Amino acid sequence: MKNNTYVLIMAGGVGSRFWPKSRNSFPKQFIDILGVGKSLLQLTYERFLTICPRENIYILSNSQYDDLISAQLTGISKDNIILEPSRNNTAPCITYASFKIAEINPDANIIVAPSDHLILNEAVFLTQVKLGLDYAAENDALVTLGINPTRPDTGYGYINYINTDGGDIHQVIRFMEKPDLQRATEFIKTGGYVWNAGIFIWNVSSILKALSSHAPEIYNLFLKGKEFYNTETENTFISENYPFSPNISIDYAVMEKADNVFTITGEFGWSDLGTWASLHEVSEKDTDNNSVNSRSVHLAQSSNCIVQLPKDKVAVIRGLNDFIIVDDGDVLLIYPKSEEQEIKKVSGLISEKFGNSFL
């Protein structure tokens, strides 16, 4: 099973909700955002080394991050860095990688995982992944890991599943987009809903079959390159054809349409680290619930704040409650945590007003 296991780590996003720390040129997956001496990408890569050999782990990213990936993942082969020449969302890059792996190993079982998520309980996570691998190897199934919700969060998509007592694997009824607070509260009260973690497990034949049925435009585009994958002409084919693929996520293209989707529900200390508030939630905090990344910060009459400053900067902060304070050299952000969903839009406005160098 181990040699038949392959991992696709998605590392092409720009992390715009983590602006200004996360920039186009150095997005959050390459940042030591947790202050542990390793980037989120490095932590994710090391996690999957316990699942399969390093030659079976592929990084899917944008061509502009090629050097960053090589620098952070020492010894990774260039053959294991799959670069997209244009940003066309997750369905095209997963299709491309699946065809590529199918030519190497037609029996491959594939894990698809984001590069920038936090997993606190790795033992439980790996147990669930292995359960998914076993199921996908024996069944024509598209498996997703679902997180038991701890609150009615409006920042996550939800998966509605058939809640039976037949074990840990449940058939999915439908995927739900990010709800408003009322609907999220109803989901929690009703039960049978989990957060969509964006972690998928399937056999390569199952995902290619699903793409052929539900996303034929994408499937047929990359099918044309079958003879070129893993050869010297692969890059030429991809550079010429990839930009013509539709811009669509794997969720929209396949998962929301397929009738053979299953979820493994559980809790393994997961966070998508999608926002400053989510980082604040998992970070060490003082008695006033402030999370601070530097000892050179003096806080007074302030609570529930997250403060990220350069290590050599002294800051005096008084009278703030529930704020994000981030100083990244050329940009200082002071913003209410309750309105952090606006940060992505604000970064765009700053770019329009002062130039792209601040993105």
Side-chain angles (χ1 to χ4, degrees), residues 37 86 172 184 352:
S86 59
V172 169
E352 290 177 9

Side-chain angles (χ1 to χ4, degrees), residues 12 51 64 76 78 131 133 199 202 255 278 286 308 319 350:
I51 290 283
Q64 76 179 101
I76 188 172
K78 283 291 186 182
L131 177 63
L133 287 168
I199 302 170
W202 44 54
M255 303 303 285
S278 63
D286 64 19
Q308 292 262 327
I350 294 300

Side-chain angles (χ1 to χ4, degrees), residues 92-105:
C93 62
I94 288 173
T95 307
Y96 167 27
S98 298
F99 270 111
K100 184 177 173 69
I101 290 173
E103 291 300 307
I104 299 171
N105 184 350

Side-chain angles (χ1 to χ4, degrees), residues 115-283:
S115 61
D116 52 2
H117 288 189
L118 174 67
I119 306 292
L120 291 176
N121 194 333
E122 294 201 358
V124 173
F125 171 75
L126 294 175
T127 297
Q128 292 191 330
V129 166
K130 289 172 183 175
L131 177 63
L133 287 168
D134 290 340
Y135 193 79
E138 299 296 328
N139 299 275
D140 179 19
L142 308 177
V143 180
T144 178
L145 299 190
I147 310 301
N148 293 331
T150 57
R151 60 187 180 278
D153 200 301
T154 60
Y156 300 138
Y158 286 71
I159 299 170
N160 183 204
Y161 65 93
I162 299 173
N163 195 353
T164 64
D165 296 327
D168 298 317
I169 301 177
H170 309 276
Q171 184 152 17
V172 169
I173 302 171
R174 59 186 175 273
F175 282 71
M176 314 292 290
E177 295 304 308
K178 295 175 183 178
D180 57 26
L181 183 58
Q182 181 179 348
R183 292 199 75 198
T185 303
E186 290 173 359
F187 292 167
I188 303 299
K189 184 178 180 180
T190 303
Y193 290 86
V194 287
W195 289 333
N196 180 9
I199 302 170
F200 307 110
I201 304 169
W202 44 54
N203 183 269
V204 68
S205 62
S206 295
I207 188 59
L208 289 176
K209 178 181 175 183
L211 286 160
S212 176
S213 297
H214 304 297
E217 184 180 357
I218 300 174
Y219 176 86
N220 290 328
L221 175 67
F222 289 98
L223 178 63
K224 292 192 305 180
K226 186 176 172 64
E227 64 183 283
F228 304 117
Y229 298 127
N230 308 304
T231 72
E232 293 180 356
T233 55
E234 176 181 328
N235 288 339
T236 300
F237 171 81
I238 289 299
S239 63
E240 291 177 354
N241 290 275
Y242 195 100
F244 294 107
S245 60
N247 188 329
I248 188 171
S249 70
I250 196 68
D251 297 68
Y252 280 127
V254 172
M255 303 303 285
E256 294 187 5
K257 300 174 183 176
D259 59 7
N260 60 332
V261 179
F262 295 81
T263 187
I264 299 174
T265 62
E267 176 53 54
F268 40 81
W270 170 87
S271 172
D272 72 343
L273 290 181
T275 65
W276 287 111
S278 63
L279 177 60
H280 177 262
E281 185 178 338
V282 300
S283 299

Side-chain angles (χ1 to χ4, degrees), residues 23 28 33 57 59 78 99 112 136 190 210 279 354 356-357:
R23 307 290 186 96
K28 71 168 180 173
I33 201 79
I57 302 177
I59 311 300
K78 283 291 186 182
F99 270 111
V112 179
T190 303
L279 177 60
F354 300 113
N356 289 333
S357 62

